[in-house]
Amino acid sequence: MRVVTWNINSLRARQERVEAWVNEVQPDVLLLQETKLADDAFPTLSFEALGYTCAHYGQGQWNGVAILSKVGLEDVVANFAGDVEPDTDARIITATCGGVRVSSVYVPNGRSLDDDHYQYKLSWMDRLVAHLDADTDPSHDVIVGGDYNIAPADRDVHDPAKLVGATHGSQPERDRLESLETWGLTDVFRDQHDADRVYSWWDYRGGDFHQGRGMRIDMLMCSQSVIDRAEWSVIDRNARKGKQPSDHAPVIVDVSV
DNA sequence: ATGGTTGTTGCACAA
């Protein structure tokens, strides 16, 4: 079973590229972030024609997350589960696909360490753990994939010095990722690869992609039973090339079933 | 240090 997470930075602007990539790579489950669509604008019919069942949670203009599946899609939860304080933004959707409890998450950017949005980001990560407690159990097959807007370690960043005093690499953010690990999830890409200078996001500006200046902030966080069956994982940086790319590349894992 | 780019119920703001 092939599971992919991809922040596509507007589905409206990216539909053609996303469909071409999907036809090439044939994910069984595709987790999208930043669709920037309201639910009634989501192109369900286009994806159904490619063999997918879809669940979308969006608000238009900003945010928006989706799950596309060829292996079934059940028990959909938009927003946080249970009694967890609901998010005002559309940043998380959860479903069961092929026996795996998958979530597509778009963690708040944080903007800057002194911004209210940074506190919102930390709170959001705390609520994500509470959501997992309410929704499922680490002994199950669980994949929480998405744009975390957090680089797990300095080795996941082109220039760690530039992150000092900034978001994406601060200790409180990394502590939140560690809380997810404590809950029972593992970053499958890092579990499989020791390589440095592998990124999933590059700023559009200044030729950063071509200069190799990026960060690895998109992850597939997997429970142990999934990690044990993970055969292969890669970040497809080719998808960041060419005309009108998203600023993020897709992250792929193949899990034996 | 600054600025560079892309997207949006855009003409400022988020990333």
Side-chain angles (χ1 to χ4, degrees):
Chain A
M1 180 164 123
R2 174 164 290 176
V3 180
V4 172
T5 182
W6 195 7
N7 178 324
I8 40 86
N9 185 20
S10 169
L11 187 53
R12 212 190 295 279
R14 217 73 60 206
Q15 183 75 30
E16 210 173 309
R17 274 190 75 120
V18 169
E19 287 193 21
W21 190 87
V22 161
N23 280 325
E24 187 81 18
V25 176
Q26 295 289 322
D28 294 294
V29 177
L30 178 57
L31 311 174
L32 297 176
Q33 300 88 39
E34 279 207 87
T35 62
K36 297 186 176 178
L37 294 176
D39 287 335
D40 60 10
F42 187 81
T44 302
L45 290 174
S46 300
F47 287 121
E48 281 180 353
L50 300 180
Y52 291 94
T53 308
C54 306
H56 179 256
Y57 178 43
Q59 58 190 117
Q61 189 172 14
W62 288 310
N63 312 310
V65 284
I67 300 172
L68 281 58
S69 174
K70 284 186 168 176
V71 291
L73 196 149
E74 296 161 359
D75 301 322
V76 176
V77 175
N79 214 315
F80 295 122
D83 296 332
V84 181
E85 173 75 19
D87 191 5
T88 51
D89 291 351
R91 296 180 177 272
I92 176 170
I93 188 168
T94 302
T96 302
C97 302
V100 182
R101 194 66 177 155
V102 298
S103 296
S104 176
V105 301
Y106 176 43
V107 178
N109 174 286
R111 296 178 193 165
S112 65
L113 298 186
D114 59 359
D115 197 300
D116 286 347
H117 205 261
Y118 177 72
Q119 295 305 321
Y120 167 51
K121 180 181 198 174
L122 299 180
S123 151
W124 201 95
M125 288 296 289
D126 291 338
R127 284 187 281 167
L128 177 58
V129 174
H131 157 87
L132 288 168
D133 277 332
D135 183 72
T136 184
D137 185 286
S139 67
H140 296 158
D141 290 348
V142 179
I143 301 179
V144 181
D147 175 3
Y148 282 85
N149 272 314
I150 303 171
D154 279 356
R155 64 187 306 201
D156 299 306
V157 177
H158 167 254
D159 188 353
K162 283 207 172 102
L163 276 194
V164 175
T167 59
H168 292 63
S170 71
Q171 197 54 52
E173 289 165 89
R174 288 178 174 168
D175 289 347
R176 277 11 183 237
L177 269 187
E178 205 172 299
S179 301
L180 269 190
E181 289 169 5
T182 301
W183 187 85
L185 302 179
T186 300
D187 170 359
V188 68
F189 180 86
R190 182 50 78 210
D191 190 58
Q192 299 217 347
H193 301 287
D194 205 24
D196 294 343
R197 296 188 182 81
V198 177
Y199 309 126
S200 67
W201 172 85
W202 300 260
D203 199 306
Y204 283 122
R205 297 170 289 188
D208 276 11
F209 177 67
H210 300 285
Q211 298 297 321
R213 294 189 292 258
M215 289 194 277
R216 196 173 69 86
I217 56 175
D218 299 85
M219 275 87 72
L220 290 160
M221 303 296 293
C222 305
S223 63
Q224 191 58 47
S225 57
V226 175
I227 291 289
D228 290 342
R229 293 178 354 255
E231 297 174 323
W232 184 78
S233 182
V234 77
I235 301 176
D236 183 12
R237 70 184 295 284
N238 286 330
R240 179 63 176 76
K241 297 178 180 175
K243 200 165 170 270
Q244 290 189 300
S246 168
D247 45 355
H248 295 253
V251 185
I252 307 171
V253 67
D254 284 353
V255 182
S256 65
V257 288

